Amino acid sequence: MPAGLDRTDKALLVALQDNARLTNAELADTVALTTSPCWRRVKLLEDSGVITGYQAILSPKALGYGVTAFVSVMMESHSRETARAFEQRLLEIPEIIACHNVSGRYDFLLEVLAKDLESFGEFAREVLQTLPAVKEIYSSFSFKSVKPARLIPVLQPGG
């Protein structure tokens, strides 16, 4: 937790994660501030990089994605140029909704959406296996999302 965040800042963060569509007046009421100080605090949280943006949370299922796959990728080469080329290419592929460079046997962990298993198989063959320097991929499929909200814990002092 960055230094200087007090109880009110933390309450603002919790409230905005819960509902980023709150008006400034509603948010101010939630954290017991008047609107002007509330707006200034939120602006400071944005300017300092604690709040990095706002977005709607979409339902993959409602948009026709029936499969969520977690794909572990092993690279052939670990050069800086290869990693940059791989990472840059990933940014261009909308079906890859998250990517982490990880430790262990594999180098990257991707979260991928697909319409169904057949379309995932085609995507794996025609897109994933053709990415720069990919040596091996290993896929696991999600049966259900147990904790879909990606809420960042707002730590209390000393926690």
Side-chain angles (χ1 to χ4, degrees):
M1 184 65 62
L5 292 185
D6 63 15
R7 178 174 289 147
T8 302
D9 292 326
K10 293 173 186 178
L12 287 166
L13 295 173
V14 169
L16 286 170
Q17 271 198 120
D18 186 50
N19 182 1
R21 293 187 68 170
L22 289 172
T23 65
N24 187 54
E26 292 168 331
L27 185 58
D29 284 345
T30 301
V31 299
L33 285 176
T34 58
T35 57
S36 291
C38 180
W39 180 86
R40 282 193 297 273
R41 281 178 177 256
V42 170
K43 181 80 170 109
L44 283 170
L45 290 167
E46 292 169 349
D47 291 347
S48 68
V50 174
I51 296 174
T52 60
Y54 302 88
Q55 70 184 72
I57 299 169
L58 308 180
S59 165
K61 185 175 182 179
L63 293 170
Y65 297 104
V67 170
T68 300
F70 295 92
V71 181
S72 298
V73 178
M74 182 186 296
M75 304 299 290
E76 264 177 355
S77 164
H78 294 89
S79 73
R80 181 175 292 162
E81 297 78 24
T82 300
R84 283 189 182 142
F86 178 80
E87 290 170 10
Q88 187 59 45
R89 180 67 180 100
L90 291 183
L91 297 175
E92 301 166 1
I93 304 169
E95 294 88 350
I96 299 172
I97 61 169
C99 172
H100 296 269
N101 185 207
V102 295
S103 64
R105 176 182 175 146
Y106 293 95
D107 301 299
F108 291 92
L109 179 63
L110 314 178
E111 185 174 355
V112 178
L113 296 179
K115 183 178 83 173
D116 53 31
L117 283 174
E118 184 179 342
S119 62
F120 174 80
E122 185 177 311
F123 178 80
R125 286 186 305 279
E126 295 180 13
V127 177
L128 296 178
Q129 291 179 340
T130 65
L131 290 170
V134 169
K135 178 178 181 181
E136 178 181 323
I137 65 171
Y138 178 85
S139 301
S140 298
F141 300 95
S142 174
F143 294 129
K144 72 176 182 175
S145 180
V146 176
K147 190 176 180 181
R150 296 180 182 192
L151 300 178
I152 307 299
V154 180
L155 300 175
Q156 300 306 316

